[in-house]
Amino acid sequence: MLVFVINCGSSSIKYQLFDMPARRQLARGLLERIGEAGSAVLTHRAGSAVLTHRAGEGKWILELDAPDHRAGLDHILRALVSGETAVIDDLSRIRAVGHRVVHGGEEIREAVVIDDAVEAVIERCAELAPVHNPPNLVGIRTARAVLPGCTQVAVFDTAFHHTLPKKAYLYALPLELYERHHIRKYGFHGTSHEYVATEAARLLGKPLLACNLITCHLGNGCSMTAIEAGRSVDTSMGMTPLQGLMMGTRSGDLDPAVLVHLLRNGWVSDVAELDRLLNRRSGLAGISGLGNDMRTLEEHMETNERARLAVEMFAHRVRFYLGGYLALLGRCDAVVFTGGIGENDSLLRRLVLEGLEPLGLSLDPEKNAATVRGKPGAITTSASRVPALVIPTDEEGMIAASTYELAK
Ligand code: AMP
C-alpha cells in the first residue's frame, strides 16, 4: 500500500511517499514559497514557488507557480507520476494520506482517521497553536479534495504526551484557567519521542512498556521527555512549543515576570513584538548574534565569546532537564539523543554527559565522536550503568506507519 505523508506549513508542503508496510521511501520533497509574491524572492521569477523533489539518487529543483496550497499539491502529485521525477504510474495507487498535525488538545489522544468532526477539533485547537494548526488544516482540506479516494489520517505532535499526569501538566496558576481555557502543558515532538523510544526499546531488547527512558530531541526545536514504562510522564515543552530547553530561535524557560517587565516598561511595544522576541529572536540566535545553526556557533566558539556562551547555555539547560528527569524516573534504562543536534553534534553531547559517572552515565569519547547522522548506537562505555544512545528520528516514517495501521 502506498502512503503519502504531508506536513503542511503556512507557505510550504513537506512530503514523503512510502511503500508500506516495508516503510520503503519512494520519494520525498519540499515545496516552499507557496503564495509568495515574486518580488519578495529576488532570485526567482515572479510568482514562483520552489519544489525540491528527491527520488532514489535523483534530486530536482523546480520553479513552479503555486498561488495556493491546492496548486502546490497538484504540482507535487504531478511530479510523482509524470516526467523524469515520476516514481509511480498512477495516483490511484496512493491509498492513504498521513497528515502531521501539531495540536490535538485534550480531545485527541492518538492518530485518527479524519472526518468532519476531527477537522472541527483541529480547528478548535488552533486557538492553542495559531501558527501551526491552521496550515495543517489547509493541507487536510486540500488533500481531501485532491485525493478523495484516500483514507486521510491525522497524527498529532501532542498525542504521545496524553499520558502526562495532572501534577506534571498543570501550571500553578488559578485552576479555573485550566478548566475554562485549557491552559496546561501539552508537549510536542511526540511522534519523534515515541519513535526513538520504540527504537531504543528494540536496541535494549526489552518491551517498550518495561522501559524507563529520557529522550532528547535536539534540533532547531528542542524538547526532552521522561518516559516511564513506555509512557510520557513529563516533557519540557508546554502549552506551546516555546517552553523548556533553549532552541535555535526560541527562548525556552524564563521567569514569566520578565514578560510583565518588558511590557510594563515599553521595551516591547505590543504582544506581537513580544511573540517575535520569544519565538524568533531568542535562543542560540539571540545569545550568539550569529544565527541559529549550531554548526556555525561551534565553528566560532574558540574566538567568539557570544558563540561559546550560546553553546554552553544550551548544554547547561539539557543537563538541567536530564538531572530532573533522572530524579523523576528513579530508574532509567537509557538516555536517547535525536534531532539534527542530538544525532550529529558530538561536542554538545560531550558537554551534556561529561562528569555524570556518579549518575550512572559514562561517556565513551571515541564512540561519541564516531556517531553521526544515520548511525544509531551507544555513545557510552559498555560498563555505563545507564547507556546513552543516538537514534536518528523518523517522524515521517512513524506517521506513515500509523496511517497504514488505520488505513489497512
Ligand atoms: P533539525 O531541526 O532536527 O533538522 O535540526 C537542525 C539543526 O541541527 C540545525 O539548525 C543545526 O544547528 C543542527 N545540526 C545539524 N547538523 C549538525 C552538525 N553536524 N553539528 C552540529 N549541529 C548540527
Side-chain angles (χ1 to χ4, degrees):
M1 181 197 291
L2 297 191
V3 173
F4 190 51
V5 173
I6 299 181
N7 182 355
C8 200
S10 58
S11 65
S12 68
I13 303 174
K14 211 167 150 189
Y15 61 92
Q16 290 196 26
L17 181 64
F18 288 93
D19 189 4
M20 299 300 288
R23 250 195 226 199
R24 191 164 63 92
Q25 187 201 81
L26 301 179
R28 70 189 159 102
L30 172 67
L31 179 67
E32 295 170 282
R33 301 178 175 145
I34 298 168
E36 264 184 38
S39 57
V41 188
L42 296 176
T43 53
H44 297 95
R45 71 188 164 81
S48 67
V50 180
L51 175 66
T52 308
H53 178 84
R54 295 167 202 262
E57 298 296 303
K59 177 180 172 183
W60 296 264
I61 298 177
L62 308 167
E63 289 182 17
L64 304 159
D65 279 320
D68 54 29
H69 286 79
R70 169 79 191 239
L73 191 56
D74 279 337
H75 283 306
I76 293 169
L77 295 174
R78 207 168 306 125
L80 293 174
V81 289
S82 57
E84 58 177 4
T85 55
V87 288
I88 51 173
D89 49 10
D90 197 308
L91 285 179
S92 65
R93 291 192 52 210
I94 300 177
R95 303 302 306 149
V97 183
H99 296 266
R100 180 183 187 179
V101 182
V102 166
H103 219 303
E106 293 194 301
E107 288 171 71
I108 298 187
R109 298 162 155 252
E110 59 195 356
V112 288
V113 174
I114 297 168
D115 56 16
D116 293 345
V118 170
E119 273 194 20
V121 173
I122 297 170
E123 195 156 26
R124 273 202 296 285
C125 292
E127 185 185 304
L128 295 164
V131 179
H132 295 101
N133 271 32
N136 295 161
L137 201 51
V138 169
I140 289 170
R141 289 179 173 151
T142 308
R144 287 182 87 185
V146 176
L147 296 166
C150 289
T151 306
Q152 310 274 340
V153 172
V155 180
F156 294 84
D157 264 24
T158 48
F160 181 58
H161 302 299
H162 84 268
T163 49
L164 293 183
K166 212 165 191 173
K167 65 184 174 188
Y169 73 64
L170 280 183
Y171 295 120
L173 293 166
L175 196 59
E176 298 75 33
L177 286 178
Y178 164 64
E179 290 167 346
R180 276 197 216 129
H181 302 298
H182 313 288
I183 291 176
R184 52 160 282 186
K185 170 182 286 201
Y186 291 93
F188 298 89
H189 287 147
T191 310
S192 178
H193 289 292
E194 185 176 7
Y195 174 76
V196 297
T198 308
E199 285 301 294
R202 208 172 51 77
L203 287 174
L204 294 169
K206 286 170 114 176
L208 179 58
L209 292 182
C211 289
N212 284 5
L213 302 164
I214 298 171
T215 49
C216 314
H217 179 110
L218 309 177
N220 205 17
C222 302
S223 66
M224 289 172 62
T225 297
I227 296 171
E228 186 173 49
R231 294 146 69 93
S232 172
V233 291
D234 206 349
T235 190
S236 60
M237 282 179 168
M239 185 182 89
T240 77
L242 180 58
Q243 193 185 338
L245 299 170
M246 179 173 171
M247 309 182 209
T249 61
R250 287 173 241 167
S251 65
D253 293 335
L254 47 77
D255 178 349
V258 171
L259 314 187
V260 179
H261 193 67
L262 289 172
L263 284 167
R264 185 184 284 143
N265 288 293
W267 293 335
V268 291
S269 55
D270 55 21
V271 172
E273 192 188 340
L274 185 60
D275 191 47
R276 260 195 316 281
L277 175 83
L278 297 170
N279 278 298
R280 304 237 164 262
R281 295 179 46 217
S282 296
L284 294 174
I287 294 294
S288 72
L290 291 179
N292 63 346
D293 194 317
M294 189 61 103
R295 283 165 292 202
T296 312
L297 306 197
E298 290 180 6
E299 272 164 33
H300 290 87
M301 64 187 284
E302 292 303 322
T303 51
N304 183 312
E305 173 65 14
R306 285 178 60 174
R308 190 180 57 76
L309 190 58
V311 175
E312 288 179 353
M313 282 175 68
F314 185 97
H316 179 91
R317 299 270 184 110
V318 178
R319 280 173 80 97
F320 174 83
Y321 272 93
L322 182 58
Y325 287 170
L326 283 168
L328 270 187
L329 294 176
R331 190 201 89 229
C332 179
D333 295 297
V335 175
V336 184
F337 289 90
T338 195
I341 296 171
E343 291 167 31
N344 295 295
D345 192 343
S346 54
L347 168 67
L348 202 282
R349 293 190 305 242
R350 177 167 65 73
L351 293 176
V352 169
L353 293 175
E354 70 188 352
L356 295 189
E357 289 79 7
L359 298 181
L361 283 147
S362 308
L363 187 70
D364 182 323
E366 280 166 21
K367 279 195 213 161
N368 182 41
T371 304
V372 292
R373 190 174 282 235
K375 277 205 346 189
I379 54 169
T380 37
T381 64
S382 48
S384 185
R385 184 158 50 78
V386 181
L389 308 172
V390 173
I391 299 179
T393 193
D394 183 9
E395 288 166 286
E396 283 79 12
M398 186 82 186
I399 293 172
S402 302
T403 303
Y404 171 74
E405 283 307 315
L406 285 170
K408 79 180 180 193

